[in-house]
Structures are given as C-alpha cells and as structure tokens.
C-alpha cells in the first residue's frame, strides 16, 4: 500500500486590530520533519510553538514583536513588501515558489516551441541570461530562462545519456487516477500543492523521478487541479471545486466520444477511398446516419467555402488533418471525389451559387393540375393562323421552344412576317404558386451537362412549348416591312398555330443554301432579315457578331466523358435570320407598349459615342467585334416608356420571345395579354422595377454559372485532345509587349500567349496546348513557329 503523507502547515490567526488579546493557536503535525518547519522558524516563533500535539497561549503583541524583530534588517534595506502573499488556506506563497537558479548539470524541462516541451541537461551559460542545454533529442540549443517550465529537484551533474531512460521511467509511472485520490484529500482540507508535495502524497517520496512524475501529472491535468501561481519554473496548484470537476469531466467524456466517432468516420473514408470507382458507396449512403451526414456536409461546406457554422469548419479541418491532408477547399473537394461522394467533374458553382436544380413535389403537382384543367381564358379571341407555314429554328438540344416564324410576300412586293411566341400565360398567372417559383428562379439555366428549367419540365414541354405538327397557343406579332427594312405596320394578337418544321441552325442554313422553291417562305424570311440588318446599320447599329461555343456532355459523371463541341458563327445565315426576327419583335413590342401606355421592361443601351470608323482598320468578324464589345456600356431599363437601344440601332426594345425561359419576358406577356383582353396591366412601372431588380440578380448568377461551366468543359475538351494537335488562333489585341489575347477559332475560346515578332492584330497563327487544368481554370498555349 503506497504511503500517503498529509501536510498541514501552521496557520497564524490574525485580528483586525493588534490588541493584547490572547489567541489559542493549534499546531498538529503527523510525522513532520524539523526541516519542514522552516517557514515558521524564520519568523522567530518560540520553540514551544513547534511541540507535537501541544496547544500554547501567546500574546499577539509578543508574537508580532518576534516577527518584526526578524524582519528588521530587511526593513532597513527597504526590501520589505507591503503584505505577505498567502494561499486561500493561509499558506505563504513565497515559500512554495522559490526558484532554483540554473546550474550546470541540472535536469530541466523547457518549452522548445508552442507545440513541443523537452527534457534537457543544463550545459553552460550563454551570455548574461541564456543557457546552453542538451535536450532529449541530442540537440544543443540556447534557451532563455522564461522557457524553463520545471527543474527536477535533487539532481546534480545528470548524465546526458540517461535522459531518454529517465523519460521512459517517468511515463511508465504515470497514473492519472492518482490525481483523483489527491484531489479528494486536498479539496477536503482546502490546500494547495506543489509537484514535490504531490509526489510525497501519492508516491511516498519526493525523489527526482517521483517529483518529475508528479509535475507531469499536474501540468498535463485538465480536470482536478488548476495553477494558482507560477514563478519562473515553479508552479503551485489548487484543487478545483466539485462542480468544476464534474463539468470538466463531462466535457472530457464528450471529447473522447467525439474523437472515437471521428476515428470511426476516418476508417470509413479510408475504406471508401481505397475502393475501385465502380464499387464506391453511392452519395445517398453517406446521408443515412446523422453523425456521418454532419461530417460529409462539413466537408462539402469546406469544399465550396460555405461552411454554415464554425463547428462545420472545425469538423472539416479535423477530418483533413486526420487524413494527413492540408486544410484547403481543394483538399476537401478531392477527398469527396476520392470516396465517390462527388463525381470527378462536379460543378461546384451550382452548389456555391445555390442554383435551384429540381422543382419541389408541391410545384410539380401544381403544374400537373394546370395541365389537367386545360382552361384557355383567351380561347374566344384567338386568331386561327394554322394555315401558315411555321418554322421553329433553335439549337438541336433545345427542349423548350418559345418562338417560331412565318413569312409571305404581299401583292405590293412588301414582306409580311409573323413572329409566333409561345403563350405561357395560358397556364400561369401572376401570384400563383408556379409564378412565384418561376420568379424565384428568374431564368432557365442551360449548362453543358444539364438544363434546370424555370418551369416544371412537364408544364414547359407538354403545355407551353411549340410542338411540330400540333395546334399550339401563341401570341403572334405580325409586321409588314417597307422595302428598306423599316416597319410599315404591325399587330399583336392571341393566336393558334401549327408549327410545320422544327429546324436546327445547321439544317436551316442548309435549306437556305439549297434555295428550294418549296421552301420559299424560309427564303423570304432570310431576305427580310437582310433588309432589317442593313436598315439597323444605317440607324447606327453595331455589329457584334462573334463565334459562339456550344458544348454537350452526355456522360459528365465519367472521369473521361464524351464531349461534343460546336462553334457557331453568329453571322451564319440561319443565326442571323433568327436574331433579326427576335430584334424586330422586340422593337414592335416597345412601340405597342408606348402606343398603349403599358408599363414594360423597356431595355436600352447607350452607344457610348462609338465611332465605328475608328475600328475600320480591324478585320470584320471576331477581331472587330471583340474590340467594339470592350468599350460598350451596360444595358439600361425604363419601365414607363421606351428608351433607345443604340447598339441595336432601334428606338426601343422589349424582350418578349422567351417567356418559358426568362421571367422578364413573362412579365411583358402578363402586361400585354391584359391589354389584349381589355384589362388593366397587373403591374405598375414601380412594381416592375422592383421585380426586375431581383430577377436581374438571378439572371447574372445564371450567366456567371453558364460562363464558368462552359470554360471548364472547353478546357477539359482541350485536355483530352492529342498533345501534338495544332489550333488556329486569331490575334485579337496585344496585352503587354508581345503577349497577345488570342481567339482559338476551332473552340471559340480566348487565351493569351507570347507571339513572335512581326505578328499584328488580326493575324492568324497556330498554337499548341501546353497545360490544361479545368478545375483551376488554367489554360496555357504556346505559338507554333513554322
């Protein structure tokens, strides 16, 4: 049985006034050594005061006289402190916190850095204050006295080679449960303790090894004891209260449980990481248990810099540290990819921008009810235009068809055009659930890997969209053009149409090239588009036709997906035809709104006093367009009256042709359809402005997402191409010295590279791809000098 030695120093009872009253001062010592009474003896107490088990009577005056007599020499030298510092139980702190001066051969503990505490032997002074020491790792270094955390008592000329053995013996003797026994006794007696006193209590000895063990127990303890005072390398510890210990113990157990939980999760992660790609756990399997879900969501938040709480950030950091990874967003992303939670080509911007990808079950149910009701409020007033040949021209992967075209030649030689726009408002009304959801989204989002529609897919596809060979509801805008391309007359009506052809831009261009007699209406549309383009140019329009890249990725979850890339020239006849008809419809709707005093989202764009002749030296096409676009000002809105759109060269413009895809177009439909029914428009100019502010924010996010996704997949496409492949590149402008902005013609992507001397803006060169890193948005190309 280990001996336990209790030490209760004498207490000197003080009175508020030093009168000649007598006090009974009990002094009891169990196995107390004479040397341990030094703290009483130095105050000059009479010998009978030390008697074992005795009770003596003393005059306060005589006791005070004895103390003052002993302190007299110090008083003369001006070194007496104002008060003697005591512990809570009345013990003199100075007696317990006397520092041992550093000497050669002492065994000491010191703080190497914030993370490491080492044991060492003092070697020699290093300057006035520092000491050279030789530590447990065999390294000699100079330390400051402030770095010393403990000097092992009773050691002289310690052998350097024995440090490791001493440390091992100390750790073998550590038993944290000993602290609990000591804490119970010391708390009961309200006593503080030094490491050496604790060694006496729990080991029955204050020898060097036992004292160091006691120091380690106290310095590492976070439950039972707290540091009361520290002077240099000496510390005094006091027992915490029962309440404090219970709370700290509760926290410790919770921490241990959390660490165990973390280790189990790390094991799961390591196991999933080691699995082949086709055997990794599916994403949903990580969401079954709440504890695992929390950790996965913490990593996901860390990966997209969107941790919702500090706890999530802390949790992700612990996981990455346990996995031996640096605490960065890319590390979290790579880990989630490695365990199969994310596909290799996960689109982080969809998560970062909080893009709504799916419609709720409630919204889908509401959409299906609308389709089932099939009520057309404008049925009586619809004009039957099913006799017209109708062309719907769009990209081949388009799911939502908003618009279609018809044309004919009048007897006087003028051209009459019909622009048919899908009547989305037959199904959706302002303020309805479907309308609120569409407003929240603002626009359909088109990405190379997926489309996230503004309306539920079934409603958009089966109800609203124009479909080949089927009778469809529309709002039709008819326009008669003068021979020079300006508007002679127009009308806006509710209609029913029956689309004849659904054409891609490629197939429409091919039909135009073939110039077939049976497709004369398509040729008339192309002729009208040419007249309109020339007329707009005369009105100051700026041609910004450029190359436009489209990408379709069929299997984006595969590490090496199949990427279909198309580069379309906006000057292509079919693309020019469609864009001119859309601009024509926008001009008509602005005029119609102005004539009927309809609040609409009128769009304009100042030309910034662009002098087109200043760019005449640049080749027409992408080079000139790129230079013009860089100096154009942003579009502006007015919700009460039309404003000039200088870049398009028209007096006013309202986007009207995509109500299934853009909420701003739907707003225009709400307003115009009300007037067609003889009703007051549902929104005032002020209300439109407020709605448009939030819609524009969503539209900007969608555009940002589209651009970043397009860049990612273009770079991935280039990464998958043979290294030796050459690409044609147009020099758009020089950025600095010989570094030029280039347009890679085959992919419609801009990059920069150093070009050889003698090259000019507009020249075509060949380049090779040196590095392509889609995740980092990095593309490096180099000119191929023939």
């Amino acid at each position: 049985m280990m001996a336990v030695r209790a030490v209760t120093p004498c207490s000197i009872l003080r009175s508020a006034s030093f009168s000649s009253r007598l006090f009974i001062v009990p002094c009891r010592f169990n196995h107390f050594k004479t040397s341990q009474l030094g703290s009483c003896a130095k105050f000059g107490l009479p010998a009978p005061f030390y008697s074992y088990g005795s009770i003596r009577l003393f005059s306060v005056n005589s006791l005070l006289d004895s103390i003052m007599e002993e302190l007299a020499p110090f008083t003369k030298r001006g070194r007496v402190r104002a008060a003697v510092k005591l512990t809570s139980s009345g013990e003199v702190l100075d007696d317990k916190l006397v520092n041992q001066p550093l000497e050669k051969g002492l065994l000491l503990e010191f703080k190497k850095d914030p993370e490491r505490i080492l044991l060492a032997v003092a070697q020699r002074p290093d300057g006035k204050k520092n000491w050279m020491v030789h530590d447990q790792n065999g390294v000699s270094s100079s330390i400051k006295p402030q770095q010393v955390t403990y000097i092992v008592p009773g050691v002289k000329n310690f052998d350097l080679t024995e440090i490791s053995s001493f440390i091992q013996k100390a750790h073998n003797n550590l038993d944290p449960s000993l602290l609990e026994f000591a804490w119970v006794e010391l708390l009961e007696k309200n006593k503080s303790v030094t490491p050496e006193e604790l060694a006496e209590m729990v080991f029955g000895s204050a020898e060097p090894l036992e004292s160091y063990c006691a120091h380690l127990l106290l310095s590492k303890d976070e439950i039972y004891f707290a540091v009361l005072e520290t002077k240099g390398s000496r510390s005094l510890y006091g027992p915490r209260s029962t309440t404090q210990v219970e709370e700290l113990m509760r926290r410790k157990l919770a921490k241990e449980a959390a660490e165990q939980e973390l280790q189990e999760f790390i094991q799961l992660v390591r196991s999933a990481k080691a699995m082949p790609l086709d055997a990794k756990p599916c994403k949903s399997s990580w969401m079954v248990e709440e504890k695992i879900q929390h950790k996965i969501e913490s990593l996901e938040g860390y990966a997209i810099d969107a941790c919702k709480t500090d706890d999530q950030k802390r949790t992700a950091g612990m996981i990455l540290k346990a996995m031996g990874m640096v605490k960065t967003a890319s590390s979290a992303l790579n880990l989630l990819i490695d365990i199969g939670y994310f596909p290799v080509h996960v689109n982080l911007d969809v998560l970062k921008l909080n893009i709504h990808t799916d419609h709720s079950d409630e919204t889908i149910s509401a959409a299906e009810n609308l389709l089932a009701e099939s009520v057309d409020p404008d049925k009586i007033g619809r004009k039957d235009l099913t006799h017209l040949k109708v062309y719907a021209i769009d990209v081949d992967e388009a799911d939502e068809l908003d618009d279609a075209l018809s044309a004919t030649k009048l007897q006087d030689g003028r051209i009459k055009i019909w622009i048919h726009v899908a009547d989305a408002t037959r199904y959706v009304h302002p303020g309805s659930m479907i309308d609120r959801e569409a407003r929240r989204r603002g626009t359909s989002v088109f990405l190379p890997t997926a489309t996230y529609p503004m309306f539920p897919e079934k409603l958009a596809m089966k109800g609203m969209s124009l479909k080949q060979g089927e009778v469809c509801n529309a709002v039709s805008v008819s326009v008669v053009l003068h021979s020079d391309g300006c508007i002679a007359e127009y009308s806006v009506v509710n209609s029913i149409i029956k689309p004849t052809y659904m054409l891609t831009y490629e197939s429409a261009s091919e039909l135009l090239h073939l110039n077939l007699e049976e497709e004369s209406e398509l040729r008339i549309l192309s002729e009208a588009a040419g007249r309109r383009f020339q007329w707009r140019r005369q009105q100051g329009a700026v041609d910004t036709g450029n190359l436009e890249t489209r990408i379709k990725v069929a299997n984006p979850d595969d590490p090496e997906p199949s990427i279909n890339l198309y580069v379309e020239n906006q000057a292509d006849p079919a693309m020019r035809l469609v864009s001119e008809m859309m601009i024509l419809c926008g001009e008509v709707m602005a005029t119609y709104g102005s004539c009927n005093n309809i609040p609409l989202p009128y769009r304009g764009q100042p030309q910034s006093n662009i002098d087109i002749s200043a760019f005449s030296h640049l080749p027409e096409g992408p080079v000139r367009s790129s230079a013009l676009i860089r100096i154009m000002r942003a579009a502006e809105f007015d919700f009460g009256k039309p404003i000039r759109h200088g870049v398009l060269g028209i007096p006013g413009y309202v986007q009207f042709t995509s109500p299934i895809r853009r909420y701003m177009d739907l707003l225009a439909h709400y307003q115009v359809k009300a007037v067609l029914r003889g009703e007051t428009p549902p929104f005032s100019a002020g209300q439109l402005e407020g709605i448009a502010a939030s819609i524009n924010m969503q539209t900007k996010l969608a555009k940002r997402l589209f651009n970043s996704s397009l860049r990612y997949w273009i770079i991935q496409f280039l990464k998958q191409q043979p290294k030796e492949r050459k690409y044609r590149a147009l020099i758009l402008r020089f950025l600095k010295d010989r570094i030029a902005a280039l347009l890679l013609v085959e992919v419609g992507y801009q990059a920069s590279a150093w070009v050889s001397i003698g090259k000019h803006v507009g020249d075509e060169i060949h380049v090779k791809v040196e590095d392509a890193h889609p995740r980092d948005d990095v593309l490096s190309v180099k000119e191929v000098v023939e």
Side-chain angles (χ1 to χ4, degrees):
M1 183 72 178
M2 186 174 289
V4 178
R5 183 169 296 174
V7 181
T8 309
C10 296
S11 298
I12 300 177
L13 302 182
R14 293 169 176 259
S15 173
S17 62
F18 293 100
S19 63
S20 298
R21 297 169 60 188
L22 295 178
F23 288 84
I24 300 175
V25 183
C27 293
R28 295 183 176 86
F29 304 92
N30 297 327
H31 309 293
F32 213 92
K33 298 178 183 178
T34 304
S35 61
Q36 291 174 305
L37 302 175
S39 61
C40 292
K42 76 174 183 178
F43 285 105
L45 300 180
F49 189 85
Y50 309 116
S51 300
Y52 173 76
S54 63
I55 297 179
R56 301 287 181 176
L57 301 179
F58 294 96
S59 164
V60 171
N61 284 342
S62 63
L63 177 60
L64 184 61
D65 289 343
S66 298
I67 294 173
M68 295 307 295
E69 181 181 346
E70 195 69 25
L71 293 176
F74 297 97
T75 307
K76 292 177 182 179
R77 293 197 297 269
R79 292 171 59 186
V80 175
R81 292 178 294 176
V84 178
K85 196 166 186 179
L86 306 177
T87 67
S88 60
S89 58
E91 301 160 297
V92 182
L93 277 175
D94 285 346
D95 292 347
K96 294 202 170 195
L97 297 177
V98 175
N99 266 309
Q100 181 177 354
L102 284 173
E103 298 176 8
K104 180 180 178 181
L106 288 182
L107 183 62
L108 57 87
E109 183 188 78
F110 74 99
K111 185 174 285 189
K112 178 75 172 178
D113 52 49
E115 301 294 327
R116 289 183 296 169
I117 294 179
L118 304 176
L119 206 59
V121 176
Q123 297 292 291
R124 65 179 187 280
D126 184 31
K128 292 183 178 180
K129 295 183 179 181
N130 293 1
W131 270 78
M132 291 297 296
V133 298
H134 189 88
D135 65 37
Q136 63 194 63
N137 298 322
V139 177
S140 293
S141 56
S142 177
I143 66 170
K144 299 176 181 179
Q146 302 94 293
Q147 291 178 256
V148 179
T149 53
Y150 187 66
I151 297 176
V152 180
V155 175
K156 290 186 178 180
N157 300 318
F158 193 86
D159 187 350
L160 296 173
T161 62
E162 294 296 321
I163 297 179
S164 296
S165 176
F166 185 86
I167 292 172
Q168 187 60 50
K169 290 177 182 177
H171 283 285
N172 289 342
N173 287 336
L174 292 184
D175 182 0
S177 65
L178 295 173
L179 281 175
E180 184 177 358
F181 299 121
W183 169 74
V184 171
E185 183 171 342
L186 292 169
L187 180 65
E188 182 181 349
K189 297 179 180 180
N190 190 26
K191 289 184 60 178
S192 59
V193 69
T194 63
E196 295 77 28
E197 290 172 343
L198 181 69
E200 285 278 3
M201 287 184 67
V202 300
F203 299 122
S205 167
E207 293 300 313
L209 181 62
E210 285 77 10
S211 294
Y212 183 60
C213 287
H215 161 72
L216 289 178
L217 286 171
L218 288 168
S219 62
K220 296 178 183 300
D221 174 51
E222 297 178 348
I223 304 294
Y224 299 104
F225 291 89
V227 177
L228 296 179
E229 180 111 356
T230 297
K231 282 191 177 180
S233 61
R234 301 283 295 161
S235 293
L236 185 67
Y237 299 84
R240 288 188 167 99
S241 69
T242 303
T243 303
Q244 287 177 312
V245 168
E246 288 176 350
E247 175 60 21
L248 290 171
M249 186 63 74
R250 185 191 64 78
R251 293 182 187 178
K252 180 184 178 184
L253 293 174
K255 182 179 179 183
E256 289 173 353
E259 288 174 353
Q260 176 65 26
E261 188 182 296
L262 175 64
Q263 289 308 312
E264 291 173 357
F265 177 78
I266 294 300
Q267 188 58 41
L268 279 176
V269 168
R270 287 191 173 127
S271 176
K273 189 176 178 183
M275 292 178 182
L277 185 63
D278 58 353
K280 292 183 187 293
C282 62
K283 183 174 182 177
S284 60
S285 67
W286 295 97
M287 300 287 110
V288 176
E289 292 186 33
E290 186 176 343
K291 293 177 180 179
I292 295 177
Q293 180 181 352
H294 169 69
K295 291 176 176 57
I296 288 292
E297 288 176 346
S298 297
L299 282 173
E300 184 175 332
Y302 206 85
I304 63 174
D305 297 319
C307 285
K308 296 176 182 177
T309 63
D310 289 339
D311 177 59
Q312 279 195 339
K313 189 179 294 185
R314 206 165 34 246
T315 299
M318 288 191 300
I319 294 169
L320 293 173
K321 183 178 180 181
M323 291 295 295
M325 305 173 75
V326 293
K327 296 179 183 179
T328 62
S330 60
S331 292
L333 170 63
N334 290 333
L335 182 57
L336 290 170
I337 290 173
D338 288 343
I339 66 175
Y341 181 77
F342 278 157
V344 173
H345 300 289
V346 59
N347 192 329
L348 290 183
D349 285 338
V350 171
L351 302 173
K352 289 180 180 180
L353 300 177
N354 195 27
I355 298 298
H356 302 287
T357 56
D358 298 319
H359 287 274
S360 67
D361 292 341
E362 187 180 14
T363 305
I364 292 172
S365 178
E368 290 174 348
N369 289 337
L370 287 175
L371 288 171
E373 291 169 4
S374 189
V375 176
D376 179 11
D378 302 303
K379 183 176 181 179
I380 297 176
R382 289 195 185 277
K383 186 170 184 176
D384 187 347
L385 299 177
T386 54
H387 62 281
L388 295 174
K389 183 179 282 189
V390 177
Y391 298 91
I393 305 172
D394 210 327
V395 294
D396 57 356
E397 65 268 18
D399 295 323
E400 306 161 347
L401 293 173
D402 300 90
D403 51 75
L405 305 169
S406 301
T408 185
K409 279 238 178 135
L410 301 178
Q411 290 182 349
D412 58 7
R414 294 184 301 173
I415 296 174
K416 184 173 184 177
I417 299 161
W418 292 90
I419 302 138
H420 312 287
V421 183
D423 189 358
T425 63
R426 176 192 163 178
Y427 295 97
V428 61
H429 309 288
S432 65
M433 178 191 292
I434 301 296
D435 170 72
R436 293 195 304 271
E437 177 64 18
R439 183 187 296 188
R440 188 165 68 97
R441 293 169 179 258
T443 179
S444 293
V445 179
F446 301 96
L447 303 180
T449 54
T451 297
Y452 306 122
M454 186 171 75
F455 290 112
E457 184 175 344
K458 191 176 289 186
L459 178 63
M461 292 283 294
K462 290 188 176 180
M464 298 176 175
S465 287
L466 303 179
K467 294 170 284 294
Q468 181 175 328
E470 295 184 22
V471 175
C472 305
N473 295 317
V475 179
S476 294
V477 177
S478 68
V479 188
V480 176
L481 296 179
H482 285 302
S483 58
D484 63 354
C486 71
I487 298 172
E489 56 185 80
Y490 69 87
S491 69
V492 180
V493 297
N494 290 313
S495 65
I496 55 172
I497 63 170
K498 191 175 182 180
T500 312
Y501 294 120
M502 297 297 191
L503 301 175
T504 64
Y505 287 113
E506 292 82 2
S507 58
S509 292
E510 187 176 349
L511 283 176
L512 287 170
H513 178 71
L514 293 173
N515 196 22
L516 300 175
E517 185 62 34
E518 57 268 29
E519 302 301 337
S520 59
E521 293 86 353
L522 187 62
R523 193 168 63 249
I524 294 170
L525 281 169
S526 180
E527 182 184 341
R531 292 184 186 182
R532 283 291 298 172
F533 179 66
Q534 292 303 321
W535 180 83
R536 289 194 305 107
R537 290 289 293 268
Q538 292 169 6
Q539 308 306 309
V542 179
D543 183 14
T544 57
N546 212 329
L547 299 182
E548 190 173 278
T549 306
R550 286 192 298 110
I551 284 183
K552 195 69 176 175
V553 184
N555 50 342
D557 289 348
D558 286 359
E560 293 291 328
S562 174
I563 304 173
N564 297 311
L565 183 145
Y566 313 91
V567 179
E568 297 168 336
N569 190 337
Q570 291 178 324
D572 174 83
M575 295 200 78
R576 177 78 74 188
L577 184 159
V578 173
S579 65
E580 285 298 330
M581 294 303 104
M582 299 305 106
I583 293 170
L584 175 60
C585 182
E587 182 183 351
V588 170
M589 295 315 301
T591 305
Y592 180 79
S594 177
C595 293
N596 292 278
N597 295 316
I598 308 174
L600 289 170
Y602 297 101
R603 188 183 182 100
Q605 189 172 18
Q607 284 178 290
S608 306
N609 297 319
I610 297 173
D611 182 6
I612 303 299
S613 62
F615 299 88
S616 59
H617 64 289
L618 297 175
E620 280 195 47
V623 177
R624 186 181 297 181
S625 294
S626 174
L628 289 168
I629 289 170
R630 290 179 61 238
I631 63 170
M632 288 181 181
R633 288 165 58 183
E636 299 175 353
F637 281 95
D638 190 299
F639 299 91
K641 62 182 184 304
I643 52 177
R644 178 170 175 76
H645 201 302
V647 174
L648 296 180
I650 54 179
Y653 181 65
V654 173
Q655 286 186 319
F656 193 78
T657 57
S658 296
I660 306 176
R661 309 180 189 189
R662 295 189 302 235
Y663 193 82
M664 289 289 279
D665 294 47
L666 185 67
L667 279 177
H669 275 248
Y670 284 149
Q671 301 291 87
V672 170
K673 287 296 293 291
V675 172
L676 289 176
R677 287 193 294 266
E679 301 172 359
T680 302
F683 301 107
S684 67
Q687 288 173 319
L688 285 180
E689 185 173 4
I691 296 170
S694 63
I695 298 305
N696 284 332
M697 288 179 60
Q698 291 300 114
T699 302
K700 286 178 181 178
L701 287 180
K703 186 175 181 180
R704 177 179 162 189
L705 175 60
F706 170 79
N707 289 334
S708 66
S709 300
L710 187 65
R711 285 199 310 273
Y712 179 94
W713 287 107
I714 289 175
I715 297 175
Q716 179 64 27
F717 173 83
L718 293 170
K719 182 180 179 181
Q720 293 180 194
Q721 301 307 300
K723 288 286 185 182
E724 63 276 7
R725 178 175 173 179
K726 298 177 184 178
Y727 300 88
R728 293 166 51 217
L730 283 174
I731 300 177
L732 300 178
R733 64 185 183 279
F734 283 96
L735 304 173
K736 182 180 179 181
D737 299 329
R738 303 305 302 171
I739 299 176
L742 307 173
L743 175 65
L744 277 60
V745 177
E746 288 98 335
V747 292
Y749 187 80
Q750 289 193 23
S752 61
W754 186 91
V755 298
S756 54
I757 296 173
K759 301 297 183 184
H760 302 91
V761 172
D763 286 353
E764 183 177 298
I765 61 173
H766 286 89
V767 297
K768 280 185 177 182
V769 174
E770 289 195 311
D771 287 301
H773 303 288
R775 185 65 67 192
D776 301 320
D777 196 19
V778 171
L779 178 67
S780 175
V781 299
K782 183 178 181 180
E783 181 186 10
V784 178
V785 180
E786 301 296 342

